[in-house]
Amino acid sequence: MKNIRYFLTYLLAVFFCAVIRISPRFMVRFHAWTAAHCVYLMPSALKICQANIQIAFPDWDADKVRRTAKTSIRMVILNFLEFIWMSGIPRRIEKVCQMPETTRQNLRKYADKNVRIIFVNPHLGSWEASGLMAPYFAGVQMAAIAKPSKNKYLNKLLSGNREKAEGLKIIFARGAMRAAVKALREGLAIGTLIDQNTRGRDGGTFVDFFGLPAPSSTAPALLKRYCDSANIPSVIIYGTSIRENNVIRAYCAELAKPFNEYADDREVLQELMRISEDFIRRYPEQYVWLYKRFRYIPIDADETLCRRYPYYAVKVKPSFYNSLLKRKQKASEE
């Protein structure tokens, strides 16, 4: 029954994608507006968004928080629909996306010298468009790390849409580090998302995000250290794609100091998170607040710190950090 349900979902998704692909852009925006209003009817969705926004902007009044939450939901949906609409169609990419010449030249400089770019991207603006722009405008051949769907049919459709972008290869999250290393050795750039709740046992560490410790992946630093140890020229670049005046504009930033001057991977990650937070403060309505970003509370957090977390947060257990403890816990439960 599950397989049949997955296949029917896949057929519905194929039809939906076909409708988006043949629609004019104003209709894509209308579809996003309609879908967003459906999400607004789900109290839990707005509750999560508003709880997160209140953490980041405690001085905002309730009306501003709610308006930002609604706009954020619409932007998330528009990001996904416009990506489907643009993928593999150059004239649409050129119409919607812009990469400043200084950014293009900087990326091109690294690509021409065969320097591997380790892109770090937040869930801000149109992050999916970043995977289109780097290959299309700057000629950067790259691979992006993506999380696979449980639905194998839907997974094939989603990865197919992403890989319509010339110069973009998709690496699924399972075994991602090994695949990312292989891609770097083959001369590809790597795209990673910085603001996901990566457990300690999976390579995550707690860093400050809007005043609260939140776990994030150390993958960018780990990949950079691998490149250095293997004598592969590489650079970490923070990239984001922001909606401005009806176009999506690419922005890039580099670390404030040479990589080898950072004390450890956590310090590197904290610097990248600081850059991300600066962009989010400038464009708060374009961030994905519909995600339990503050879900995990550090195991050593005191009561004062715990009370600052949103309603959905939970204090982690030792198994959060140790995969062996996780397996033992699972075995005891069985």
Side-chain angles (χ1 to χ4, degrees):
M1 285 298 294
K2 182 183 291 186
N3 200 45
I4 295 174
R5 186 173 70 254
Y6 281 168
F7 186 69
L8 291 176
T9 302
Y10 163 76
L11 292 178
L12 182 61
V14 168
F15 172 76
F16 180 75
C17 286
V19 170
I20 295 300
R21 297 280 286 180
I22 64 174
S23 298
R25 192 184 182 198
F26 77 88
M27 283 301 299
V28 175
R29 299 176 73 87
F30 175 76
H31 291 319
W33 182 87
T34 303
H37 276 72
C38 292
V39 177
Y40 298 161
L41 299 176
M42 302 167 57
S44 59
L46 281 175
K47 186 177 181 181
I48 292 172
C49 288
Q50 291 176 114
N52 288 333
I53 295 170
Q54 286 168 345
I55 293 293
F57 303 97
D59 298 332
W60 284 10
D61 60 48
D63 183 60
K64 188 173 183 180
V65 168
R66 186 174 179 82
R67 283 188 283 108
T68 302
K70 285 188 171 184
T71 304
S72 170
I73 291 171
R74 179 167 55 83
M75 288 292 187
V76 170
I77 298 170
L78 180 60
N79 166 50
F80 181 65
L81 298 188
E82 275 196 339
F83 177 78
I84 294 172
W85 183 78
M86 288 188 294
S87 295
I89 305 178
R91 70 179 185 278
R92 291 180 176 176
I93 297 174
E94 293 176 357
K95 179 180 180 180
V96 175
C97 302
Q98 290 183 2
M99 177 176 284
E101 184 60 21
T102 53
T103 300
R104 192 196 70 80
Q105 289 180 0
N106 194 39
L107 296 181
R108 190 66 253 169
K109 172 188 69 178
Y110 288 123
D112 289 344
K113 294 180 180 179
N114 202 28
V115 175
R116 311 319 194 261
I117 301 174
I118 302 169
F119 283 108
V120 179
N121 218 19
H123 285 93
L124 176 69
S126 182
W127 65 93
E128 294 278 15
S130 298
L132 295 176
M133 285 196 274
Y136 187 81
F137 290 111
V140 178
Q141 302 295 302
M142 64 180 293
I145 299 175
K147 185 177 181 179
S149 167
K150 293 180 180 179
N151 184 332
K152 62 181 181 181
Y153 305 108
L154 191 59
N155 186 62
K156 183 177 180 180
L157 175 65
L158 294 174
S159 63
N161 278 324
R162 288 190 172 105
E163 290 185 338
K164 284 178 182 176
E166 185 177 351
L168 177 64
K169 177 182 178 181
I170 302 301
I171 297 175
F172 290 120
R174 297 189 186 95
M177 285 300 294
R178 184 179 300 176
V181 166
K182 183 174 184 291
L184 288 168
R185 293 173 62 181
E186 292 173 351
L188 298 177
I190 289 290
T192 65
L193 287 166
I194 192 175
D195 48 359
Q196 298 185 94
N197 292 325
T198 306
R199 297 176 178 87
R201 64 176 183 266
D202 298 322
T205 187
F206 280 95
V207 291
D208 182 82
F209 186 59
F210 285 102
L212 286 180
S216 296
S217 174
T218 57
L222 291 173
L223 292 172
K224 172 61 178 167
R225 292 191 189 283
Y226 166 78
C227 288
D228 290 350
S229 67
N231 294 317
I232 298 173
S234 62
V235 62
I236 294 176
I237 292 183
Y238 179 95
T240 188
S241 300
I242 303 296
R243 294 182 182 278
E244 296 177 339
N245 300 321
N246 210 32
V247 298
I248 301 170
R249 185 169 287 108
Y251 287 92
C252 288
E254 296 188 35
L255 295 173
K257 57 185 179 182
F259 178 78
N260 57 12
E261 293 184 11
Y262 287 88
D264 52 27
D265 293 352
R266 185 184 181 281
E267 188 181 358
V268 175
L269 186 58
Q270 185 63 73
E271 168 70 10
L272 293 168
M273 196 61 71
R274 181 196 63 76
I275 299 172
S276 186
E277 189 174 318
D278 287 345
F279 271 102
I280 295 168
R281 289 186 183 279
R282 289 163 57 189
Y283 306 95
E285 74 286 348
Q286 297 191 41
Y287 189 62
V288 180
W289 300 110
L290 188 61
Y291 176 63
K292 295 181 179 180
R293 185 66 183 98
F294 303 102
R295 178 180 179 181
Y296 296 117
I297 303 173
I299 195 169
D300 57 352
D302 58 30
E303 286 303 313
T304 301
L305 179 59
C306 289
R307 284 195 294 269
R308 293 174 55 200
Y309 278 80
Y311 69 94
Y312 59 76
V314 294
K315 201 166 189 178
V316 302
K317 298 179 180 180
S319 57
F320 176 90
Y321 303 94
N322 190 306
S323 57
L324 180 60
L325 289 175
K326 175 65 176 179
R327 289 195 293 271
K328 288 182 177 179
Q329 178 183 329
K330 186 176 180 180
S332 64
E333 290 174 354
E334 292 175 350

